């Protein structure tokens, strides 16, 4: 008996090593990083202030900024930015934050969608389908139109809106417990009602600037984002990602079905509710800084699942990398497609995600089972 423990420990280490060296996951993460880096470098090379691509890249990799602790303290914690040359100031203070916000938004939406798909055991699930996006968006519009003095609390307000919407969905779907089908149907109902209320708020906005801002929120846009948005989303994102990674085993058990999960000792309703809270938090952090960006939470988990499989220990990690790649790439398209006019990134993700999801529906014979 005593000799079995070292053997089991060695097997555990070999399993972890095999997991980390998994070729498909490693390739996905590496490819996603490459897309983010290339897309980010393209993004910082264009703007109102004229500079060559070489000059823009030199500003990005300026060691006086990258290795300057005071600069990072100003960026992440706020405060006065230390002195630097004009190109570095423009790139680091205006253009790069948009890339970082896009990364955080993509990460949050992808992981949120992956969790909702496991909780409901339905490939159609996403923050948008389950009413979370509509609830958060409604609270943001209410703040912009009626309570404009509270805009500094948008992340918290968005979280409350998303949480309230999902609680309503959960209450509608509850009947001696919930089921994946009832959650989806309740989410569609709540999302439709909240979407109608969002539209109604446009009639109460007299200021054309407020209307334009509201349209940007409802379509999803990264235009005008800066380090303030990074600081808004970063702590919520960090918490949500850590919780999602720690919950990967519970997500795998949920995929086995309710009866099997209960036979393994899981309190399905409590776990489902807690994991949904993590997904709501991630989605709300995204909506608070970029508005309602469609299809990312629906499509990215599909793409990652096709590459690494349905094991959520790999799937969540893949979404953490693939989500930012899709968002940064889409934002480059939104920035340059009709230059100098910038279109909302949500339009690009919709144009890309719609046909891709149609392709998935045509390819797979059974939707709704992972």
């Amino acid at each position: 008996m005593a000799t079995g423990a070292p053997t089991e420990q060695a097997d555990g280490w070999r399993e972890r090593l095999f997991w980390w060296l998994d070729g498909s996951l490693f390739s996905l993460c590496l490819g996603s990083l490459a897309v983010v880096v290339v897309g980010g470098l393209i993004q910082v090379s264009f703007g109102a202030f004229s500079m060559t691509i070489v000059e823009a890249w030199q500003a990005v990799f300026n060691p006086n900024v990258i290795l300057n602790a005071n600069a990072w303290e100003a960026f992440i914690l706020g405060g006065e930015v230390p002195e630097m040359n004009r190109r570095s100031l423009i790139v680091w203070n205006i253009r790069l934050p948009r890339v970082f916000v896009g990364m955080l938004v993509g990460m949050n939406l992808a992981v949120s969608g992956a969790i909702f798909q496991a909780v409901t055991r339905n490939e159609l699930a996403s923050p948008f389908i389950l009413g979370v996006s509509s609830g958060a968006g409604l609270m943001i519009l209410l703040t912009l139109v009626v309570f404009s003095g509270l805009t500094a609390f948008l992340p918290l307000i968005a979280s409350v809106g998303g949480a309230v919407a999902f609680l309503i969905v959960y209450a509608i779907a509850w009947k001696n417990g919930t089921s994946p089908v009832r959650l989806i149907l309740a989410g569609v109902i709540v999302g439709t009602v909240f979407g109608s209320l969002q539209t109604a708020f446009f009639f109460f906005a007299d200021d054309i600037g407020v209307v334009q801002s509201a349209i940007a929120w409802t379509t999803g846009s990264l235009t005008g984002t800066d380090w303030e948005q990074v600081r808004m989303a970063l702590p919520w994102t960090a918490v949500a990602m850590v919780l999602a990674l720690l919950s990967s085993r519970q997500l795998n058990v949920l995929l086995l079905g309710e009866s099997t999960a209960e036979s393994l000792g899981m309190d399905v309703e409590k776990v489902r509710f807690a994991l949904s809270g993590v997904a709501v938090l991630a989605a709300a952090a995204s909506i608070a800084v970029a508005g309602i960006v469609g299809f990312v939470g629906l499509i990215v988990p599909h793409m990652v699942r096709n590459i690494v499989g349905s094991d959520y220990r790999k799937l969540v990690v893949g979404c953490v990398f693939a989500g930012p790649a899709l968002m940064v790439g889409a934002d480059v398209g939104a920035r340059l497609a009709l230059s100098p006019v910038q279109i909302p990134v949500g339009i690009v993700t919709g144009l890309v995600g719609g046909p891709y999801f149609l392709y998935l529906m045509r390819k797979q014979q059974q939707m709704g089972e992972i």
Side-chain angles (χ1 to χ4, degrees):
M1 297 295 293
T3 58
T7 302
E8 292 177 0
Q9 187 176 12
D11 290 341
W13 280 108
R14 280 195 293 269
E15 182 182 355
R16 293 186 183 93
L17 181 62
F18 176 78
W19 186 86
W20 281 108
L21 294 178
D22 180 82
S24 58
L25 179 62
F26 180 78
S27 299
L28 172 66
C29 296
L30 189 63
S32 299
L33 282 174
V35 171
V36 170
V37 171
V38 173
L41 291 175
I42 293 175
Q43 189 74 277
V44 301
S45 301
F46 296 90
F49 182 84
S50 179
M51 67 177 77
T52 66
I53 294 179
V54 174
E55 289 173 340
W57 291 8
Q58 287 176 343
V60 171
F61 298 109
N62 183 357
N64 294 328
V65 179
I66 295 178
L67 303 179
N68 190 335
N70 293 330
W72 284 106
E73 181 179 356
F75 295 149
I76 302 301
L77 301 178
E80 186 176 354
V81 177
E83 185 177 351
M84 61 185 71
N85 64 61
R86 179 180 295 182
R87 293 192 184 95
S88 294
L89 185 64
I90 291 173
V91 167
W92 278 92
N93 214 36
I94 299 177
R95 298 181 183 177
L96 267 180
R98 177 169 177 164
V99 178
F100 292 143
V101 172
M103 293 170 60
L104 294 174
V105 169
M107 192 181 301
N108 279 313
L109 290 178
V111 171
S112 178
I115 293 175
F116 277 132
Q117 288 175 14
V119 166
T120 62
R121 287 188 291 115
N122 192 310
E123 292 181 349
L124 293 174
S126 71
F128 185 81
I129 296 296
L130 290 174
V132 175
S133 295
S134 298
L138 177 62
M139 289 301 294
I140 288 175
L141 281 176
L142 180 64
T143 303
L144 292 174
V145 176
V146 182
F147 305 107
S148 57
L150 299 177
T151 53
F153 301 98
L154 279 181
L156 181 59
I157 292 171
S159 299
V160 171
V164 169
F166 189 76
L167 286 174
I168 295 174
V169 169
Y170 214 85
I172 294 174
W174 182 270
K175 186 179 181 182
N176 297 323
T178 61
S179 71
V181 174
R182 289 203 299 270
L183 283 172
I184 292 292
L185 293 176
V188 171
I189 294 170
V190 172
T192 301
V193 173
F194 279 21
S196 299
L197 291 175
Q198 287 181 31
T199 304
F201 271 112
F202 286 106
F203 292 97
F204 296 96
D206 298 326
D207 188 350
I208 187 63
V210 172
V211 173
Q212 291 176 340
S213 179
I215 291 174
W217 280 107
T218 55
T219 54
S221 176
L222 297 177
T223 303
T225 53
D226 55 23
W227 284 105
E228 182 180 356
Q229 280 71 43
V230 175
R231 290 190 288 270
M232 281 185 182
L234 186 58
W236 305 95
T237 302
V239 172
M241 295 305 105
V242 170
L243 292 176
L245 290 169
L246 293 176
S247 304
S248 57
R249 292 184 181 275
Q250 285 76 15
L251 290 166
N252 281 334
V253 174
L254 282 178
L255 293 182
L256 300 176
E258 293 184 15
S259 58
T260 304
E262 290 176 351
S263 68
L264 294 174
M266 173 182 284
D267 189 330
V268 174
E269 287 303 329
K270 288 183 178 179
V271 172
R272 178 182 287 161
F273 191 80
L275 292 174
S276 298
V278 176
V280 168
L281 176 64
S286 165
I287 296 168
V289 295
I292 302 174
V293 181
F295 278 104
V296 176
L298 187 65
I299 297 301
V300 173
H302 282 281
M303 298 172 63
V304 176
R305 191 178 291 114
N306 288 337
I307 297 173
V308 305
S310 298
D311 186 347
Y312 265 74
R313 292 174 297 177
K314 298 178 183 178
L315 185 62
V316 172
V317 175
C319 287
V320 168
F321 284 85
L326 177 61
M327 274 299 298
V328 172
D331 193 39
V332 170
R335 178 79 174 270
L336 302 179
L338 300 176
S339 183
V341 177
Q342 299 185 35
I343 62 176
V345 67
I347 294 177
V348 177
T349 58
L351 291 175
V352 173
Y356 182 79
F357 190 62
L358 178 61
Y359 161 75
L360 286 176
M361 292 181 64
R362 301 288 293 181
K363 181 180 178 181
Q364 299 187 20
Q365 295 181 354
Q366 289 185 340
M367 294 295 292
E369 294 184 4
I370 295 179

